[in-house]
Each structure stands twice: as C-alpha cells, then as structure tokens.
C-alpha cells in the first residue's frame, strides 16, 4: 500500500498495527519458549516422582521369574542407569524419535495406546467443557442483570452446592437418579476401542458428559457472574444506556463481548482442574479413555504408559494456556496497545 | 483441584469488588479498627454465619459426640449392612461396624487433615510468594516458574503418584494434599507482595536501614494476612474434597480407620442393593463441611474487600 496517499489517521493506524504485530510476535515467541520450558519442567518432576516409586522390575517380570530375568529387564529398560541419563534418554527418544516408549504391561507401544484412547477422552472433556461454557455465560449475564434478586440467589445457591460436591459423588447421584430409579440412561459409559463405537452409543454418553459439564459449570459460574457484573459497571455501558439503546442491544452487543474476553483466560487456567475431573469421571463411569488408562497404569506399575499420558495432558494444558493468553491479547484492544 | 480454586488469583481485585453488594453501606456504617471492621461485616453476612454455625455443629458432631455416643466402630462382625434401627441409628456397614460412630471418627480425621493441610499450605505458600515477590528478579523468575510447572500438572496425577508409594497414613495424606495446594497461595501472596513492596512505609523501613528480611516478615507477611486467611479457608474445603476423592480412588486410609471419602466409596459397592445408609450420610457430611468452609471463605473475602475499600 502506498503510504503517501493515505490520510494521516489511517497512517497512524497502520503504524500502530505493524507495531502491534511486532509486539505480538515477540510476545508469542516468548510465551512459546516459556511453554517449552514448562513442559520440560513437568517431565522432570514426573521423572523425579517416578524415581521415588519402587523398582517395578520384579512385579512386571513376575514373582516366579529368576533373578537373572529380573536383571535382564532392569538392564534392557535402563533402570540401573543414573537418574539424569534416564531422563536425557527419555527426552531424546520423545523429541527426536517421536517415541513414547513401550508399555510394561500391555503388548503395545505407549504411542498406540494414546492414539487409540486420547480422541475418546477429548470427546468427553471437550463436549463437557464447551457445554459448561455455553451454559455459564448466559446464566452469568442473567445473574448480573438480576443481581441479588431471587433468581440470582437461586442460581448462586445451586452452583455453591454443585461446587461442594466431590466429582465422583455427583456422578453417583446422577447414576442413582437417572440409571437406577428412572432407567433413562445407562450407568456405564459406552465401551469400545474406536471413537466410532463410542459415538454410536449416545445414550451411554449422557451421564458422563452431564457429570463433567456440571462440575466444570460449578467452577465457571462464580467467575462468570462477577465478570458480567464488572462488565455492566463499565462507563461505556452507562454511555450506551444514556444514548437510549435498548437493553437487548446493550447486553448482547456491548456487554457480551466484554464479558467474554476473560473467559479465554478462565478456561485456559482451569484446564488442569478440568482434566482432574475428567479422570475421576472416566474412572467412575468406566469410560475407556486415557484417564482410566492412567489409573490402571499406576496400579499395575506400568510407568512408561503413565508418563506418556502425563506428558500428553501437560502439553494440552500448556498449549491451552498459550492459546488463552494469545486470544486475550488479540481480543482486548486495551491489552493490545499497552 | 477444582476450577474455582485454580482461578482464585485472578478472582481477586476488581472482579470480586463487584461481588460484595452491601459493601459501600456497611463500610460507612461502622468505625473502628480494620480488623473489627472486617469481623463486623463478616457477621453481617448471612451465608457466612450459616457456614460458621454449620462448622461448629460439625466440630461438635465429630469431636464431642463420641463422648456421649458409644458404639463399635472398629471391630468387624457378622451383623453386616443392617438398616437403621435400634442400637444402630444409621445402620451398619459391610463389616458390621456402626455407621454413625464411624461418621464421627471419619469427621475427626477429615477435619484434622483438612485443617492441618490448610495450615501447612498457608505457611509454605506465604513464605514462597512473599520471598519471590519481594526479592524479584531471578529469584522471582525461578520460584514462580516452579509454581507454573507444578500448576500445569493436573492435581490428581501428582496425588496418585504420591499415594502409590506408601500406605496412606494421616501424616502422609496431609503432606500429599499440602504438596499440591500451596501453589495457589504462593501466587496470591506474590501478587499482594508486589503491590505492597511499592508502598511508602516499606520504602521508609528501607531508608531507616531495616534489612530486607525484616521487611518481609515484619511488614509484607502481616499485611497479606487477610488474603491468606481467605485462601486458607478455601484450602480446607478443597483438602476435604481431595481426601474424599482419594478415598474414592482407593487411596484413602486403610480400615479400620475411617474417612468420609472411603466410607462413601465403600457404600457405592452396594449402590444397586438399596443400602442408602451406606451412601447418603457420608456424602451429606462431606458436602456440608465443604459448603460451610466455602460460605465462611466467601464471607471473609467480602468482608476483606470492605476493609480494603475503606483504606
């Protein structure tokens, strides 16, 4: 674009825009580097924790195996090597060979376990997360508008109650109500190796997804209410009201966008909690995802599998936070130019 | 553990100021010391009072009632899964032990673990956050990156790892729960410290030749106490939820010791037998305890906002 022919305010605007791009790129590069360091840190911590666990060789090879068989297992899995050698080999294997190792217990690689079960967990966690957000936003705005009236207080009481229920107990209550007494939905999650098999039994998906949605909603709801109240208190809302705009336009056009901006950050920060609730929900409903795999792997001392799952979840958390931060900077012009 | 917990640092400030509706009126109605003001506005909060009364009743139920109500809570026998009736107001469990008595026992353990974890969490988190925030620079970067790393791992992953190592004991459960709970407190206190560090009186101490450690423990930490107390209250609630979850996943205390989570998950084995007394009472007590601490924490936070607004 030929700069000389443009009016000064447009020029100024493009100058700001290119400056903004530079700042954003620098910001994103910095955040990506930070994320890589955090992911390595997660691996280091899980490795330290794992080195505290008892040596699994005897349990894996079997109690009737000879000592030389146990020694062979230890040697082939490098369990006798120093801590940092093992750590470096794992990193090397993951980063340069894209290999997460081989399960001690199941006759398959950790990569194939993850490839099979991660999509299923993503369906459960993803659907529940989206549902929770789409419920929390309008309800939060409703509460902000009807602040301190009976409707607001009823919702607050309900979400307080939800928030105080352990995830598994809420699931048990759902099972008792909808499976045991009403016979509306099955108590067990759909079973099957492929995602197609899981999706072909939608009735069985209802209770696990409902459980996780309610747990996530309880976490978001208190934040959404105060975020909406804050957005309502902004000067531009008063200006819009003074201009005589209708309540609808003010709420949906001016306030919604502003109440939405923090949601990106909330969701990013809440991801570890969402995964925790996801794992418990999987364990409770016997959902064949990576959460159940993780519990089984720990019980059976299948450490490569447990470590691989932790790595995937940590990367998902880190990427989620990264996207949330970038989205925040892109969405909010006040952040952008400061 | 829970979502709101992980969001707490960002809930502070503006977002919460809006959440204390009666704030302005209360603040202008009272005079007196900041602490008295906080307590006054706390006692004006109906939910906070309900929480406090609930907590007192729960403490009485767990610690005082066993002196009056005697039952077999430890020895297994053949009178298993009896419905509520004479001798056993809430029936017996799968090992013939009295449920009401075990609920009291479980209450002691749950409350002790919850409160002890909150205390340890608070001490570690406050020191960590205050030191990182006050010294800044490389110290801050390293200390807070460690927090970031630990926060990126879902709590349950660390908990399950730690719990598979040893047989669970009360001390180990306290340690485990504290090890995942101090992060939020550390972040919160660091944020507070950053704003306190720039205050006039901190500069004054420096000019007068006070050491940096003196500033941290005489001025920074006492001034973060409000935020810390609120956070500690939520930590108790959270610790009791974590404890219950560990019980459910089979990593709770081993019988005959009792915790509500293990009792609840034991009852779930009989979910299709209609043995409701094995499930609802334990679940209800967990919910009431967590609810009471959340009510108290919320009311304290609102009260603190009132105090801060007056400053």
């Amino acid at each position: 674009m030929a700069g000389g022919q443009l009016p000064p305010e447009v020029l100024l605007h493009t100058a700001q825009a290119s400056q903004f791009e530079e700042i954003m790129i620098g910001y994103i590069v910095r955040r990506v580097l930070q994320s890589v360091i955090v992911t390595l840190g997660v691996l280091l911590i899980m490795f330290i924790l794992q080195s505290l666990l008892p040596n699994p060789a005897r349990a894996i090879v079997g109690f009737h195996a000879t000592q030389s068989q146990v020694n062979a297992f230890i040697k082939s899995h490098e369990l006798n090597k120093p801590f940092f050698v093992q750590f470096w080999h794992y990193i090397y294997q993951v980063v340069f060979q894209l290999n997460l190792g081989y399960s001690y217990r199941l006759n398959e690689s950790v990569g194939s376990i993850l490839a099979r079960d991660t999509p299923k967990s993503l369906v459960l966690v993803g659907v529940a997360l989206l549902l929770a957000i789409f419920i929390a936003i309008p309800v939060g705005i409703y509460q902000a508008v009807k602040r301190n009236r009976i409707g607001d207080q009823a919702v607050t009481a309900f979400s307080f109650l939800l928030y105080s229920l352990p995830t598994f107990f809420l699931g048990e209550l759902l099972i008792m109500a909808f499976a045991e007494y009403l016979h509306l939905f099955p108590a067990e999650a759909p079973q099957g190796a492929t995602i197609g098999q899981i999706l072909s039994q939608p009735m069985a998906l209802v209770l696990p997804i409902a459980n996780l949605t309610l747990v996530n909603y309880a976490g978001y709801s208190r934040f959404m209410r105060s975020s909406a109240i804050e957005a309502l208190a902004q000067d531009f809302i008063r200006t819009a009201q003074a201009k005589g705009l209708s309540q609808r336009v003010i709420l949906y056009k001016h306030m919604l966008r502003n109440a939405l901006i923090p949601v990106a950050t909330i969701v990013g920060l809440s991801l570890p909690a969402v995964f925790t609730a996801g794992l418990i929900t999987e364990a409770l409903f016997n959902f064949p995802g990576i959460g159940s795999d993780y519990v089984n792997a720990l019980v059976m001392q299948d450490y490569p599998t447990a470590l691989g799952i932790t790595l995937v979840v940590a990367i998902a958390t880190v990427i989620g936070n990264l996207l949330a931060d970038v989205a925040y900077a892109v969405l909010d012009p006040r952040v952008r130019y400061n | 553990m829970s979502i709101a917990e992980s969001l707490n640092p960002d809930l502070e400030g503006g977002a919460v100021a809006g959440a204390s509706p009666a704030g302005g009126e209360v603040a202008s109605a009272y005079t007196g010391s900041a602490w008295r003001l906080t307590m006054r506005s706390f006692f004006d909060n109906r939910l906070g009072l309900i929480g406090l009364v609930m907590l007192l009743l729960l403490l009485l139920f767990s610690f005082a009632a066993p002196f009056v109500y005697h039952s077999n809570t430890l020895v297994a026998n053949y009178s298993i899964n009896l419905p509520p009736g004479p001798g056993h107001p809430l029936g017996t469990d799968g090992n013939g032990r009295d449920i009401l008595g075990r609920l009291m026992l479980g209450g002691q353990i749950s409350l002790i673990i919850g409160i002890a974890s909150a205390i340890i969490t608070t001490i570690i988190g406050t020191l960590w956050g205050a030191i990182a925030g006050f010294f800044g620079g490389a110290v801050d970067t390293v200390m807070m990156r460690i927090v970031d790393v630990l926060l990126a791992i879902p709590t349950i992953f660390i908990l399950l790892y730690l719990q598979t190592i040893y047989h669970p004991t009360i001390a180990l459960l306290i340690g485990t729960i504290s090890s995942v709970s101090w992060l939020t407190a550390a972040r919160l206190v660091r944020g507070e410290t950053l704003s306190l560090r720039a205050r006039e009186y901190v500069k004054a101490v420096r000019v007068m030749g006070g050491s940096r450690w003196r500033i941290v423990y005489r001025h920074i930490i006492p001034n973060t106490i409000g935020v810390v107390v609120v956070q500690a209250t939520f930590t108790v609630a959270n610790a009791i939820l974590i404890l219950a979850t560990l019980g459910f996943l089979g990593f709770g205390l081993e019988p005959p010791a009792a915790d509500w989570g293990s009792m609840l998950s034991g009852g779930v084995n009989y979910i299709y037998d209609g043995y409701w007394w094995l499930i609802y009472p334990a679940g209800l007590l967990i919910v009431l305890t967590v609810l009471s601490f959340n009510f108290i924490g919320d009311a304290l936070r609102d009260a603190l906002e009132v105090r801060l607004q007056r400053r």
Side-chain angles (χ1 to χ4, degrees):
Chain A
M1 217 182 277
Q5 290 150 2
L6 291 168
E9 60 266 26
V10 177
L11 253 185
L12 184 68
H13 189 79
T14 40
Q16 273 180 341
S18 71
Q19 201 188 353
F20 163 66
E21 254 165 46
E22 255 170 52
I23 295 171
M24 276 306 291
I25 290 170
Y27 174 72
I28 292 173
V29 168
R30 245 193 350 262
R31 282 293 282 112
V32 169
L33 281 178
Q34 261 178 26
S35 306
V36 172
I37 294 171
V38 168
T39 311
L40 284 176
V42 169
L43 267 184
L44 180 64
I45 284 175
M46 294 318 281
F47 239 84
I48 294 173
L49 285 179
Q50 193 166 295
S51 70
L52 297 174
L53 297 179
N55 192 325
R58 173 50 78 181
I60 305 286
V61 190
F63 288 92
H64 298 292
T66 62
Q67 189 57 43
S68 66
Q69 285 170 312
V70 173
N71 290 341
F73 181 87
I74 291 176
K75 199 153 180 252
S76 69
H77 291 86
E78 298 190 325
L79 295 175
N80 52 349
K81 294 272 171 67
F83 174 80
F84 278 104
V85 174
Q86 290 190 37
F87 185 58
W88 167 246
H89 281 181
Y90 187 78
I91 303 274
Y92 182 84
Q93 187 186 301
V94 171
V95 176
F96 297 104
Q97 302 172 340
L98 296 176
N99 175 7
L100 286 165
Y102 204 82
S103 165
Y104 285 170
R105 293 286 189 179
L106 309 166
N107 189 19
E108 59 184 325
S109 69
V110 175
S112 83
I113 296 175
L114 284 170
R116 187 186 63 228
D117 291 342
T118 309
K120 293 184 254 174
S121 293
L122 267 180
V123 168
L124 175 68
V125 173
V127 172
L129 190 65
L130 289 178
L131 278 176
I133 296 171
F134 284 121
I135 295 171
I137 290 171
V139 173
I141 292 174
Y142 166 81
Q143 283 183 277
V145 175
K146 303 271 171 193
R147 192 169 151 194
N148 295 330
R149 297 221 213 116
I150 189 80
D152 172 32
Q153 281 166 349
V155 176
T156 303
F158 177 68
S159 50
F160 244 128
L161 187 67
L162 271 185
Y163 184 64
S164 301
L165 281 164
T167 307
F168 71 94
F169 186 49
L170 176 64
E172 278 157 13
L173 292 178
L174 290 178
I175 291 177
M176 277 191 272
F178 293 101
E180 166 84 344
Y181 294 118
L182 298 174
H183 299 287
L184 284 177
F185 306 105
E188 199 186 40
Q191 301 299 312
T194 65
I195 186 132
Q197 284 170 302
I198 300 290
L199 291 177
S200 67
Q201 306 157 61
M203 290 302 269
L205 271 173
V206 171
L207 287 186
I209 288 181
N211 186 43
L212 198 48
T213 304
L214 286 172
V215 171
N216 292 343
Y217 166 75
Y220 296 144
S221 107
R222 299 204 300 180
F223 190 89
M224 264 319 297
R225 178 180 179 272
S226 42
S227 168
I229 287 175
E230 217 196 336
L232 269 184
Q234 301 276 333
D235 289 340
F236 59 80
I237 297 287
R238 211 186 316 141
T239 310
Q241 280 166 342
K243 277 198 300 188
L245 292 182
S246 75
Q247 178 85 346
R248 266 179 76 96
V249 173
I250 294 175
L251 280 188
Y252 291 101
K253 212 168 151 224
H254 295 257
M255 183 241 183
L256 181 63
R257 190 189 144 105
N258 278 281
L260 279 184
I261 293 170
V263 173
T265 316
I266 307 163
V267 173
L269 280 174
S270 71
L271 282 180
V274 170
F275 292 139
T276 292
L279 184 143
I280 297 165
T281 304
E282 285 193 11
L284 178 68
F285 289 93
N286 195 18
F287 187 93
I290 53 173
S292 303
D293 290 342
Y294 185 80
V295 177
N296 290 336
L298 276 192
V299 171
M300 306 204 304
Q301 295 179 292
D302 184 0
Y303 299 149
T305 308
L307 201 59
I309 294 171
T310 316
L311 181 62
V312 165
V313 172
I315 290 176
T317 309
V318 166
I319 291 178
N321 272 315
L322 185 69
L323 291 179
D325 280 3
V326 173
Y328 192 92
V330 172
L331 279 174
D332 194 339
R334 284 165 300 189
V335 176
R336 207 184 287 171
Y337 290 111
N338 285 332
Chain B
M1 186 76 196
S2 58
I3 293 171
E5 173 80 3
S6 58
L7 295 176
N8 261 338
D10 302 79
L11 277 171
E12 287 304 319
V16 181
S20 57
E25 296 150 39
V26 176
S28 57
Y30 297 122
T31 51
S33 77
W35 183 242
R36 254 174 56 202
L37 192 69
T38 307
M39 290 331 287
R40 277 271 184 74
S41 77
F42 175 84
F43 284 113
D44 279 345
N45 187 318
R46 208 181 310 148
L47 282 183
L49 272 183
I50 294 176
L52 206 57
V53 171
M54 272 161 58
L55 180 61
L56 284 177
L57 290 176
L58 284 161
L59 284 170
L60 281 177
F61 171 79
S62 306
F63 290 96
F67 288 109
V68 187
Y69 177 79
H70 301 282
S71 61
N72 166 29
T73 56
L74 299 177
V75 186
N77 58 66
Y78 287 113
S79 51
I80 60 169
N81 294 332
L82 292 179
H88 298 292
L90 281 176
T92 60
D93 68 6
N95 285 306
R97 297 171 297 214
D98 183 67
I99 293 210
L100 183 60
R102 281 179 71 74
L103 285 174
M104 295 170 183
L105 211 62
Q108 294 174 10
I109 287 169
S110 299
L111 286 167
I112 287 172
I113 291 180
I115 292 168
S117 312
I119 292 171
I120 294 177
T121 295
T122 305
I123 294 171
I124 301 175
T126 306
L127 282 175
W128 194 277
I131 291 171
F134 185 75
F135 287 91
V139 178
D140 181 38
T141 310
V142 171
M143 289 176 88
M144 293 324 285
R145 283 305 85 75
I146 293 175
V147 171
D148 285 350
V149 166
L150 288 171
L151 277 175
I153 310 172
T155 324
I156 198 82
F157 284 70
I158 303 182
L159 286 174
L160 291 183
Y161 250 104
L162 292 177
Q163 287 307 112
T164 43
I165 309 177
Y166 308 104
H167 289 295
T169 60
I170 293 183
L172 187 74
L173 283 168
I174 293 173
T176 315
I177 294 173
S178 307
S179 72
V180 294
S181 305
W182 63 276
L183 305 162
T184 323
R187 270 195 160 179
L188 213 57
V189 172
R190 175 181 172 267
E192 278 291 290
T193 308
L194 285 180
S195 81
L196 286 171
R197 192 170 70 158
R199 296 276 166 85
E200 304 288 313
Y201 62 83
V202 172
K203 288 181 189 151
V205 178
R206 258 193 182 161
V207 171
M208 286 189 280
S211 76
R212 303 218 281 185
W213 282 105
R214 190 185 162 80
I215 296 174
V216 170
Y217 76 84
R218 287 283 302 190
H219 299 276
I220 303 277
I221 290 181
N223 270 299
T224 57
I225 216 86
V227 184
V228 165
V229 167
V230 172
Q231 178 58 25
T233 318
F234 289 128
T235 306
V236 182
N238 211 39
I240 289 170
L241 281 179
I242 295 178
L243 180 66
T245 305
L246 284 174
F248 161 69
L249 291 168
F251 296 100
L253 288 171
E254 284 170 16
D259 66 85
W260 290 335
S262 302
M263 290 178 70
L264 183 51
S265 66
V268 173
N269 297 329
Y270 303 103
I271 199 167
Y272 297 110
D273 298 315
Y275 298 163
W276 58 266
W277 58 93
L278 289 176
I279 303 169
Y280 294 119
L284 187 69
L285 283 172
I286 295 176
V287 174
L288 286 180
T289 313
V290 175
L291 208 53
S292 72
F293 279 104
N294 279 335
F295 280 163
I296 295 171
D298 245 36
L300 276 178
R301 186 163 58 189
D302 284 357
L304 192 74
E305 286 298 327
V306 173
R307 198 183 106 191
L308 291 179
Q309 276 162 18
R310 264 181 70 87
R311 236 190 225 161

